[in-house]
Amino acid sequence: MGFSFRDKMAPSTPLLTVRGSEGLYMVNGPPHFTESTLFSRESGKNCKVYTFSKDGTLFAWGNGEKINVINVTNKGLLHSFDLPKAVCLEFSPKNTVLATWQPYTTSKDGTAGMPNLQLYDVKTGTCFKSFTQKKMQNWCPSWSEDETICARNVNNEVHFFENNNFNTIANKLHLQKINDFVLSPGPQPYKVAVYVPGSKGAPSFVRLYQYPNFDGPHAALANKSFFKADKVTMLWNKKATAVLVIASTDVDKTGASYYGEQTLHYIAANGESAVVQLPKSGPIYDVVWNSSSTEFCAVYGFMPAKATIFNLKCDPVFDFGTGPRNAAYYSPHGHILVLAGFGNLRGQMEVWDVKNYKLISKPVASDSTYFAWCPDGEHILTATCAPRLRVNNGYKIWHYTGSVLHKYDVPSNGELWQVSWQPFLDGIFPVKTITYQAVPSDVPSEEPKVATAYRPPALRNKPITNSKLHEEEPPQNMKPQAGNDKPLSKTALKNQRKHEAKKAAKQEARNEKSPDLAPTPAPQSTPRNTIPQSTSGDPEIDKKIKNLKKKLKAIEQLKEQAAAGKQLEKNQLEKIQKEKALLQELEDLELGI
C-alpha cells in the first residue's frame, strides 16, 4: 500500500512534529514555521508516542487511550485502535503493517500474560497477528525494504517470515546463541549480519549470511571473531556491501577509560575483514557511513577527540585533527558532514564540505540533546529535551551555513520531550550546490557565553600565559606547510592528503604499540620531534646530550599522562618545571658542537 502523490508534484517542505507538556502538534518546515493545519493539536500530557511511515505519508500517535492513524496528505483519519498502554509504534517499509508494542505483564496468579506485540493491517485495520515480546529492546520485527521477508529474534534464533505471512516460519537461522541481528538495506539479495557473544573462553563473532543460505559449514559470506566484546553495534552501508562492527567491553581492564574499551571492525560481504586501525587510543564515540557506501567517518580517542574518514580498504582518506566532538552526521545526500560535541560537551559543531574538505561553518548549539538533518539536505534541527535536561527546553532550525532560521523555547514551567522531521524517501529532494555564505535570517544571533578558565587567586593579577592542557591538532589540510608556496592541483592535493593521513596513521599506530609511551599521541611541537640527532665527537658531551634527551623524554611522558587526566606526584611536577632549563642546556651543548 503506497501513496505516489509526491511523484507528480514538487516536494513540499518536511513538517516538524513536536511532543511535550504542551501536547502534540505539527509545525510547517522552512521558511514559514507556523503551526500546521494538517493536524489538530492533541492537548494534554498523555501523548507517549508517535511515528511517521518511512515515506512520511502516514502518521500514528497514542493519546493515552487510543492509537490513531491518519493520512497526512488528506488529513483523513484511517484507523483508531483501543491501545491505552502502547508505548512503541512502527510502520512496515511499504505501509502495509502497523506494529505496536506495550510492556509485557503477567497476571497475579503467575499465569502467562497476553501477547503484547500486535501487527495491524493498515488497509483493513484488523489485527492479524500477535506475539509475546518481553523485551522492549529490538521489539519491532525487521522487514526488508520490499517487505518480502521479515525477521524476529526468538529465543536466540532468527525466525524469517515471507510476504507478511506470520503464521508460517519460512526459515530459521540457528547458531549457538544469537544475541542480535541486522537485515541489510536495499533490494534482493537480502543479507543478514548476526552477532554471537563469546562464552567459556571462546571468542565472540559476527557472521554475514545471504538469505536463505544458512546451512552447511561454508554457508556464511563472511566471519569475524574477536575477544573484547560485551556488546556490539552492527552498521550496514546503504549498498549492503559491508558492515562496520563496534565491539565494546563494559570495563577497560587497563584502567585507561571509564567508557570501557572499544574496537572497530570492518566486514565485507565478499569475505574480507579487517580491524580498523585508529591512530589515537581511547573511546570510539561514533561511526557513520556515507550514503555513497564507499567511505565512513569515525570519531574516537581521548578528548580532544580525533575524526577521520576511511575508505573501504580501511585506509585513512582525510584526518580532521582533534576537537571537542563526540558525534558525526552525514547529510542525506552525503556531501556535507557535521562533527559535533553534544552531551557533556558545549555543543560546538563543524560543518564540512566533504568533496573538497572545506570547512563551511562552526555554529554552537549549547545544551543540545538531539540533532537531525532535514530530508532536504539543507536544514538542521537541534533540540534540548527532557528528561535528559529539564531546563531550557526548546528547539532550533539551522541552515548548514550556520544561520538560525527559527527558534522555539518552551515556557519555563514546561518540557519538550520529542521533536523530529517528517521523513521523505531518498531522491525526492535534489542535491543542491554547496554555499559557504551564511544565509540571511530574521532570528537575532546569540553569541554563546564563553566560560573563562578558572584561575587560582595567586594568578589572577598576573598576565595570562598561553598554556594548554591539550595540544589541539588542526585538520590535515590546515597544517602549516614549510616552504611550499605553490598551490597544488586537485589530484595532487588528494594524493597528498591520502599520503599524509596514511603516514600519520602509521606513525601514531607505531607510537601506540611502543610500550614506553603514554596512550595520548605526542603534540606536534614536542622537543622529541625538533631535536636533531647529532654527535659531537666528544664522548663526554655526547653522554650529557643523551642524558638530557632522556630527561626531556621522561618530562614529555609526564605531560602526556597529565593531559590524559592522571594525578601527578609533587616530584613529577617539579621535573616538568625544569623542562625549560634542560632545553636551554641542551641547546647550549649542541650549539657548542
Side-chain angles (χ1 to χ4, degrees):
M1 173 178 170
F3 300 93
S4 59
F5 76 100
R6 284 195 178 134
D7 306 337
K8 301 179 180 74
M9 55 188 272
S12 53
T13 313
L15 296 161
L16 277 164
T17 308
V18 184
R19 184 175 71 86
S21 54
E22 297 180 294
L24 175 73
Y25 59 98
M26 288 188 190
V27 174
N28 291 310
H32 302 299
F33 306 111
T34 48
E35 187 164 336
S36 172
T37 54
L38 274 174
F39 180 81
S40 306
R41 183 188 282 246
E42 181 86 59
S43 298
K45 300 183 180 183
N46 294 327
C47 177
K48 297 271 193 301
V49 61
Y50 72 77
T51 189
F52 273 102
S53 59
K54 302 279 184 295
D55 63 0
T57 58
L58 302 181
F59 181 73
W61 77 99
N63 58 13
E65 293 171 17
K66 295 182 184 301
I67 297 294
N68 298 314
V69 183
I70 61 163
N71 182 334
V72 178
T73 54
N74 61 17
K75 312 184 196 179
L77 180 69
L78 297 177
H79 303 293
S80 195
F81 306 115
D82 283 318
L83 291 165
K85 293 178 183 171
V87 290
C88 297
L89 303 173
E90 198 161 323
F91 287 100
S92 62
K94 292 179 78 182
N95 304 350
T96 313
V97 180
L98 174 67
T100 71
W101 183 88
Q102 62 186 53
Y104 179 75
T105 50
T106 51
S107 50
K108 285 174 185 170
D109 57 5
T111 52
M114 300 288 287
N116 58 322
L117 165 56
Q118 323 289 349
L119 300 181
Y120 289 88
D121 184 323
V122 173
K123 221 173 201 169
T124 62
T126 53
C127 176
F128 64 92
K129 187 67 185 175
S130 299
F131 292 106
T132 297
Q133 171 68 35
K134 292 183 180 177
K135 287 184 181 172
M136 187 177 184
Q137 190 182 354
N138 300 333
W139 70 271
C140 190
S142 187
W143 279 272
S144 61
E145 276 183 15
D146 59 6
E147 296 190 14
T148 301
I149 63 169
C150 182
R152 285 186 73 225
N153 189 349
V154 182
N155 299 330
N156 303 117
E157 57 183 28
V158 185
H159 292 183
F160 290 87
F161 305 92
E162 292 183 352
N163 302 313
N164 287 322
N165 175 8
F166 290 92
N167 296 318
T168 310
I169 298 169
N171 275 289
K172 281 185 187 179
L173 175 50
H174 180 74
L175 294 167
Q176 298 97 308
K177 271 201 169 181
I178 294 172
N179 181 288
D180 197 8
F181 77 95
V182 185
L183 275 188
S184 64
Q188 295 187 24
Y190 313 114
K191 302 181 193 92
V192 60
V194 292
Y195 162 58
V196 174
S199 57
K200 296 174 186 168
S204 308
F205 61 83
V206 168
R207 278 188 197 155
L208 309 188
Y209 289 93
Q210 185 167 308
Y211 183 83
N213 311 327
F214 302 143
D215 297 327
H218 305 294
L221 300 172
N223 182 50
K224 180 91 175 108
S225 53
F226 32 81
F227 277 98
K228 290 185 175 178
D230 292 321
K231 57 179 183 285
V232 305
T233 305
M234 295 176 282
L235 307 165
W236 279 102
N237 63 6
K238 203 171 166 185
K239 290 182 179 166
T241 55
V243 174
L244 288 167
V245 177
I246 307 164
S248 314
T249 58
D250 295 329
V251 177
D252 183 349
K253 291 195 171 78
T254 65
S257 168
Y258 53 75
Y259 287 98
E261 216 177 335
Q262 289 92 21
T263 47
L264 180 60
H265 305 266
Y266 169 88
I267 311 169
N270 64 6
E272 291 174 4
S273 66
V275 177
V276 182
Q277 297 295 334
L278 300 175
K280 186 174 185 180
S281 61
I284 298 172
Y285 305 102
D286 203 5
V287 180
V288 280
W289 280 104
N290 190 323
S291 56
S292 67
S293 297
T294 56
E295 290 181 343
F296 58 91
C297 179
V299 182
Y300 58 93
F302 294 110
M303 285 295 161
K306 264 178 109 65
T308 308
I309 290 180
F310 296 88
N311 61 17
L312 295 183
K313 291 179 183 168
C314 300
D315 290 333
V317 177
F318 188 80
D319 180 355
F320 293 99
T322 60
R325 52 172 85 113
N326 53 16
Y329 307 92
Y330 275 107
S331 65
H333 304 105
H335 61 325
I336 299 174
L337 172 68
V338 175
L339 300 173
F342 295 137
N344 58 354
L345 297 174
R346 286 190 194 164
Q348 285 148 290
M349 299 188 280
E350 297 165 55
V351 183
W352 284 85
D353 166 355
V354 282
K355 292 279 184 286
N356 303 301
Y357 296 114
K358 201 171 162 189
L359 187 63
I360 301 168
S361 63
K362 286 187 82 169
V364 178
S366 304
D367 301 331
S368 295
T369 61
Y370 179 76
F371 174 105
W373 272 102
C374 179
D376 67 8
E378 279 198 88
H379 298 94
I380 288 166
L381 163 66
T382 62
T384 305
C385 298
R388 178 71 191 267
L389 280 175
R390 299 276 185 193
V391 292
N392 299 336
N393 282 188
Y395 66 86
K396 287 178 184 172
I397 308 296
W398 308 72
H399 189 267
Y400 66 76
T401 52
S403 311
V404 177
L405 303 180
H406 177 64
K407 180 174 181 274
Y408 176 71
D409 294 322
V410 175
S412 56
N413 59 345
E415 289 182 349
L416 176 67
W417 301 325
Q418 191 182 1
V419 56
S420 62
W421 294 106
Q422 172 190 15
F424 277 64
L425 295 175
D426 290 345
I428 298 280
F429 290 95
V431 188
K432 291 188 179 173
T433 313
I434 291 176
T435 173
Y436 294 90
Q437 191 65 42
V439 302
S441 166
D442 301 332
V443 180
S445 64
E446 297 171 14
E447 285 302 315
K449 295 183 195 85
V450 178
T452 52
Y454 170 77
R455 303 196 77 212
L459 296 177
R460 281 178 194 168
N461 298 322
K462 294 183 180 178
I464 294 171
T465 54
N466 203 8
S467 60
K468 278 187 177 179
L469 182 61
H470 300 291
E471 192 67 41
E472 298 257 327
E473 190 185 314
Q476 69 181 54
N477 59 355
M478 292 183 193
K479 287 182 181 174
Q481 300 271 316
N484 186 9
D485 303 329
K486 194 179 166 190
L488 296 169
S489 71
K490 206 169 181 181
T491 318
L493 194 63
K494 200 171 181 183
N495 290 339
Q496 186 190 347
R497 281 181 196 137
K498 274 192 179 177
H499 179 70
E500 281 173 4
K502 264 189 184 177
K503 198 173 165 186
K506 274 184 185 169
Q507 182 59 45
E508 294 194 38
R510 214 174 291 136
N511 291 350
E512 290 297 328
K513 283 173 191 162
S514 173
D516 62 338
L517 292 186
T520 354
Q524 291 301 308
S525 56
T526 60
R528 198 183 334 168
N529 299 343
T530 55
I531 299 164
Q533 297 294 320
S534 59
T535 55
S536 64
D538 182 336
E540 200 56 42
I541 291 177
D542 282 350
K543 194 175 177 184
K544 278 185 180 176
I545 289 174
K546 193 178 175 186
N547 281 339
L548 283 168
K549 286 184 180 176
K550 203 172 175 183
K551 285 178 182 175
L552 285 164
K553 189 176 179 182
I555 287 170
E556 202 49 55
Q557 288 177 5
L558 289 172
K559 283 165 76 178
E560 288 171 4
Q561 286 170 14
K566 189 177 174 185
Q567 193 72 38
L568 297 184
E569 302 293 326
K570 191 182 175 187
N571 62 337
Q572 291 175 317
L573 291 166
E574 285 167 1
K575 265 187 192 176
I576 291 174
Q577 285 166 358
K578 290 177 187 168
E579 183 182 28
K580 205 172 181 183
L582 292 173
L583 277 169
Q584 189 59 51
E585 196 181 332
L586 179 65
E587 201 177 312
D588 293 346
L589 280 170
E590 292 194 328
L591 287 173
I593 290 166

